[in-house]
Amino acid sequence: LNEARKAMEEMSVDKPEKGAYTKVAMGKNNSNRPWKSRNQSQKSLKQRVSGTSGLGTDWKKKSQERMKLKIIKEREKEMKEQKKAEIMAMKEARLEKEKRKAENEFKNTTFQKLSNPNKIKTMSKKQLRNIKKLQINPKTGVKELVSPWTGKK
């Protein structure tokens, strides 16, 4: 984007000074106060300063400016696409890392099977929170430990 801004600055046309727009002599004011300047539209001010009606601009210059703008817009589009691709790559890498972490975590755990379901009735709340159910994730096909009551991790 900085390259695009630099290119825009290079192709910008020299602008007249600030004072040139504001102080244009145009007869008498209605209030008869000569120190008060008239409010004018930007278009009429530019025409007075340049001395042309705007119809005599050079076609070659216009086409060159259009080409420069087109090149700048294409470059900006390429940069945005490149940034999007980087973000997508980072997202994919993060998801892959999370998947590997879950698999490794599952490999390192030790399990104790509850053979008697009546033991659950005598357990405290704290012990019940630690009970997990083995489930295969339908999207990824990875084995996960989930809560037997809510189905969430």
Side-chain angles (χ1 to χ4, degrees):
L1 293 174
N2 289 335
E3 293 174 9
R5 286 189 184 125
K6 287 178 184 177
M8 285 291 288
E9 289 173 7
E10 290 175 3
M11 76 168 211
S12 65
V13 182
D14 293 335
K15 295 178 183 175
E17 297 176 16
K18 285 185 178 179
Y21 284 161
T22 56
K23 303 283 182 179
V24 177
M26 235 192 94
K28 222 176 195 182
N29 287 331
N30 285 345
S31 63
N32 208 11
R33 295 178 180 146
W35 61 87
K36 293 207 169 197
S37 60
R38 275 194 172 182
N39 294 332
Q40 294 178 348
S41 66
Q42 284 289 339
K43 186 176 179 182
S44 64
L45 286 173
K46 286 180 184 176
Q47 287 177 356
R48 286 228 174 89
V49 170
S50 65
T52 62
S53 63
L55 298 173
T57 53
D58 193 9
W59 178 254
K60 289 180 184 177
K61 285 182 183 177
K62 275 188 179 181
S63 60
Q64 284 177 353
E65 286 180 20
R66 282 192 189 123
M67 288 298 293
K68 286 179 183 177
L69 284 172
K70 192 175 182 182
I71 291 168
I72 290 168
K73 284 182 181 179
E74 287 175 3
R75 180 70 178 134
E76 283 180 354
K77 193 175 182 180
E78 289 173 9
M79 292 169 88
K80 284 180 184 177
E81 289 174 0
Q82 188 178 11
K83 189 73 173 173
K84 252 187 199 178
E86 287 175 10
I87 290 169
M88 289 297 291
M90 288 173 63
K91 188 176 182 180
E92 289 174 10
R94 182 176 45 84
L95 290 172
E96 188 66 31
K97 185 178 177 183
E98 286 176 4
K99 186 178 175 183
R100 273 189 279 118
K101 185 177 180 181
E103 288 173 1
N104 291 336
E105 192 175 300
F106 182 75
K107 286 177 189 175
N108 291 333
T109 54
T110 55
F111 303 106
Q112 183 178 358
K113 189 175 180 182
L114 286 173
S115 56
N116 187 3
N118 291 334
K119 285 184 181 178
I120 295 174
K121 293 177 182 175
T122 60
M123 286 183 178
S124 67
K125 277 189 174 182
K126 203 170 197 179
Q127 289 171 326
L128 287 171
R129 282 190 206 115
N130 291 331
I131 294 176
K132 299 286 179 187
K133 187 169 91 173
L134 189 67
Q135 184 178 2
I136 297 174
N137 190 338
K139 292 180 182 176
T140 58
V142 178
K143 295 177 186 176
E144 294 178 337
L145 295 173
V146 294
S147 172
W149 295 282
T150 60
K152 297 178 183 175
K153 285 186 179 182

